[in-house]
Amino acid sequence: MQYKTICSIVFVLICNTFANGQEIRIRGDVDFSFTYTNIKAGEDYSLETESKQDGVRMDIKKLKRQAYWRVTVNKSDINWDNQVKVYVPRTSSGNGNGSVWGGTNYTLINNMPQTFMQGQGLLNNIYLQYKLSGISVELPANTYYTDIVYTLYEQ
Amino acid sequence: MIKKLFITSILLSCLNAANGQSYWSYDDHGLSLKMPEISLISVMPTNYTVSLSLGLPKNAGDKPGENIDSKDDNTWLNYSCSMKYRGSYRKIYAQITSGSVPDGLAIDLEVKDLQTQGTGTWGKRYSKSITLSNQPQIVVSGIGGGCTKRGRNFGHQLIYELKLTDIDELIVDDDKTYLTITYKISD
């Protein structure tokens, strides 16, 4: 009896050791590009601009059965002008046996992580849209880069 | 055997404990914003033709001179400009690019400073007035990343004035003379 119990414990521990944990997967990139055709002489750029509603997709995978989770978002600037603010809402609730709440309003993405949305269970194809504000001819001509980081916490 | 399994379970427990903090994972994607260098200029209202004529003398012996028809202040210069960080400021040049002013006459151009604020760094007039010629002359300087807003009453008001310079050279001609005045924005 003692032998079988210890064998079971070892088996479970082995499974735990080599099992992959929860996973968040992001697919897609976002490129905002302006040209001189976007404005006429005398005008400024529209202060706000949005990406496609389905340009970036998020999958929540490999959770423990119907586990609760939350996702935080932050940005990691490579070359970014602080005059330009980045916002994200989710535009879909994804497919799968899970559910999601929060994240439908525009969330300002800072360099510090903050909770973006929460949910339960596995989901695929949660679409994300981005909005930039503060676009102006005052911005020095350049190509600006930042990384948008999503972190999944299983609860 | 049991002892070995017990030790193995302890080792695996330790390993799991070490990995046990990984209740999170992350992924990221790039986001880029491309802002080009632009220089756009326009005279507003579009398709407006400035028409100037010299006033008739009111009395015998007087010179043809200024009257309301020899001046036009109905156009504004609008521009938008975006430049690289620490790029050189832009200027606006004016010149006659087709036609020529009849002998004995000249067209003066006064460029006013902005009366309604624009956005960013807009320019200032370079001099109080110039006499237009077929050579480019600076009329606005110091334009950085900015814009004037668009339309009448925005940007730099342009005031054209036809002036008599030498009555001896003046040839009476009923035909109109057409000129094209071009504004160019450049470093």
Side-chain angles (χ1 to χ4, degrees):
Chain A
M1 179 63 187
Q2 193 182 15
Y3 179 77
K4 280 186 178 175
T5 305
I6 292 177
C7 278
S8 300
I9 291 169
V10 169
F11 178 75
V12 169
L13 287 171
I14 288 170
C15 289
N16 279 347
T17 303
F18 296 104
N20 289 321
Q22 70 294 325
E23 181 182 324
I24 186 169
R25 184 186 290 177
I26 306 293
R27 287 172 288 168
D29 284 313
V30 183
D31 299 308
F32 291 94
S33 185
F34 291 87
T35 70
Y36 66 91
T37 57
N38 292 111
I39 56 171
K40 292 177 180 171
E43 294 176 340
D44 201 349
Y45 292 109
S46 169
L47 287 176
E48 293 185 351
T49 184
E50 288 185 317
S51 67
K52 289 193 298 182
Q53 289 198 340
D54 59 353
V56 175
R57 287 179 290 175
M58 176 191 291
D59 300 333
I60 307 289
K61 305 160 78 78
K62 298 181 182 174
L63 292 169
K64 287 177 193 161
R65 185 180 170 84
Q66 288 302 98
Y68 286 89
W69 48 264
R70 73 185 171 96
V71 170
T72 64
V73 61
N74 67 284
K75 65 185 174 73
S76 176
D77 296 340
I78 299 160
N79 161 35
W80 196 255
D81 191 306
N82 288 331
Q83 183 184 321
V84 182
K85 307 293 182 196
V86 187
Y87 298 84
V88 60
R90 65 176 170 86
T91 55
S92 77
S93 297
N95 323 114
N97 62 358
S99 56
V100 56
W101 52 91
T104 51
N105 295 324
Y106 287 100
T107 301
L108 173 64
I109 303 177
N110 297 307
N111 289 10
M112 293 298 290
Q114 60 185 312
T115 298
F116 171 48
M117 59 187 185
Q118 298 177 78
Q120 183 186 15
L122 306 177
L123 285 172
N124 291 320
N125 296 326
I126 302 172
Y127 292 127
L128 303 172
Q129 184 178 27
Y130 291 90
K131 180 174 84 173
L132 301 185
S133 71
I135 306 296
S136 168
V137 288
E138 288 182 81
L139 274 178
N142 203 346
T143 302
Y144 299 92
Y145 298 99
T146 188
D147 265 335
I148 308 296
V149 183
Y150 292 92
T151 307
L152 171 68
Y153 293 91
E154 188 175 326
Q155 295 176 324
Chain B
M1 183 63 182
I2 290 175
K3 192 178 176 184
K4 281 183 181 174
L5 280 171
F6 184 69
I7 291 168
T8 307
S9 68
I10 288 173
L11 286 172
L12 286 170
S13 295
C14 291
L15 195 56
N16 279 336
N19 292 330
Q21 305 307 312
S22 62
Y23 287 116
W24 55 271
S25 71
Y26 73 93
D27 201 359
D28 62 353
H29 71 84
L31 187 149
S32 71
L33 167 64
K34 187 177 182 183
M35 301 296 296
E37 276 194 278
I38 59 162
S39 297
L40 298 168
I41 188 168
S42 179
V43 176
M44 298 297 290
T46 53
N47 300 322
Y48 176 82
T49 302
V50 173
S51 189
L52 303 171
S53 62
L54 210 60
L56 292 171
K58 288 178 183 169
N59 301 301
D62 286 352
K63 287 181 182 176
E66 292 179 9
N67 70 353
I68 197 164
D69 294 331
S70 67
K71 232 175 183 180
D72 186 294
D73 59 1
N74 293 312
T75 51
W76 275 261
L77 204 53
N78 294 174
Y79 52 81
S80 299
C81 188
S82 174
M83 50 197 278
K84 285 184 177 172
Y85 181 65
R86 290 186 177 170
S88 54
Y89 288 102
R90 308 265 160 78
K91 303 180 189 81
I92 295 174
Y93 299 81
Q95 72 178 113
I96 297 171
T97 49
S98 79
S100 56
V101 180
D103 291 340
L105 298 174
I107 298 174
D108 283 359
L109 169 65
E110 180 185 353
V111 177
K112 294 258 191 183
D113 277 329
L114 264 62
Q115 289 156 41
T116 304
Q117 285 200 337
T119 299
T121 308
W122 58 86
K124 288 193 173 296
R125 71 176 180 183
Y126 192 70
S127 59
K128 190 169 183 297
S129 72
I130 61 164
T131 299
L132 286 169
S133 71
N134 58 6
Q135 294 298 314
Q137 297 176 77
I138 300 170
V139 291
V140 178
S141 65
I143 303 168
C147 63
T148 58
K149 298 181 183 170
R150 185 171 172 85
R152 281 183 71 153
N153 302 317
F154 293 118
H156 300 268
Q157 188 177 17
L158 303 173
I159 301 171
Y160 298 94
E161 186 174 8
L162 185 64
K163 284 192 166 173
L164 179 66
T165 53
D166 188 346
I167 196 165
D168 290 338
E169 292 184 9
L170 195 61
I171 298 168
V172 177
D173 191 344
D174 286 340
D175 287 341
K176 289 180 178 175
T177 299
Y178 291 94
L179 305 175
T180 302
I181 297 163
T182 301
Y183 294 89
K184 187 174 81 172
I185 186 165
S186 175
D187 287 348

